[in-house]
Amino acid sequence: MGVFMRIKTDNFIHYNMALAGGFFGGFAVCNLGEIFGNAQTLNLISIVYNIFFCDFEKLWLRIAAALLYFLGFMLAVLIPKIFKVRTELISILIDAAAFIILAFLPTHIPFLISLYPIFFASAFQWTAFEYIEGYSSSTIFSSNNYRQFTTSLIEYLIDKDKSRLIKTRIFGITLLCFHIGVAFACVGTILIGRFSSLLGILVLIPAAVLIIRKRIKGKN
């Protein structure tokens, strides 16, 4: 218990959402054609590829995917400005809805269409949970977290600067949680196949509880 008490609430929420991001990624790779649905790099590259090789059927599907990702970013920015509400709980509700949709999508539709809920939810989540202790840290993929973990660790080993060690810990825990989420998705897929997406809702509960508790305390 003492270990968890020493972790700041906001940090714990961030780590929990990294767990959810890893679950999204692991589920997509296990169940949807080994495609990582959290990010857009491959999809945007494929748009150019489909144009040059005249694969217009996939082109429109990929453009739709990019637009859904754009929509996720846009709403995550507009909602707090227009309605004066924070987006963290909204992101969790969107993630939960995506997990439910993924469980009941027809199995015969193209994998790319099946990824649409992940594209939208991931974009919204990335914007809602983009910082931890002032550091930019994604909860939906690992590349920058991996770089930050590695560079801060090497800098600490060379300079013995304790601030680098703190940064190493933050990004290291985020990476670990993300890949625990991936592992959980893999185990779930082995046990119950595509219905394992519903297990992702369980992953979201601790973060939702902590966010609600923070808001209640803030009103007191």
Side-chain angles (χ1 to χ4, degrees), residues 33-123:
E34 298 185 3
I35 303 172
F36 182 59
N38 296 23
Q40 276 292 290
T41 303
L42 175 60
N43 189 58
L44 294 174
I45 290 173
S46 296
I47 287 174
V48 178
Y49 171 87
N50 293 151
I51 290 171
F52 276 94
F53 289 90
C54 300
D55 191 345
F56 296 112
E57 181 179 352
K58 287 184 180 177
L59 174 64
W60 305 124
L61 293 177
R62 293 193 178 280
I63 289 174
L67 290 175
L68 274 172
Y69 215 78
F70 177 88
L71 182 63
F73 289 143
M74 183 180 73
L75 291 178
V77 172
L78 289 179
I79 286 174
K81 291 185 180 295
I82 295 174
F83 299 103
K84 308 301 180 184
V85 296
R86 297 180 64 87
T87 54
E88 289 92 342
L89 272 179
I90 296 172
S91 176
I92 289 174
L93 290 173
I94 290 172
D95 283 358
F99 284 132
I100 293 170
I101 291 169
L102 288 167
F104 297 102
L105 282 174
T107 56
H108 61 82
I109 63 175
F111 288 136
L112 192 57
I113 295 177
S114 296
L115 287 164
Y116 284 179
I118 297 178
F119 285 139
F120 178 76
S122 293

Side-chain angles (χ1 to χ4, degrees), residues 12-13 15-24 88-100 121 125 129 139 184 197-212:
F12 193 94
I13 293 169
Y15 299 145
N16 191 170
M17 296 311 297
L19 197 73
F23 191 95
F24 266 133
E88 289 92 342
L89 272 179
I90 296 172
S91 176
I92 289 174
L93 290 173
I94 290 172
D95 283 358
F99 284 132
I100 293 170
Q125 180 180 320
F129 301 95
T139 59
F184 186 35
S197 67
L198 297 174
L199 298 175
I201 297 173
L202 300 178
V203 174
L204 298 168
I205 291 174
V209 170
L210 288 174
I211 291 169
I212 292 170

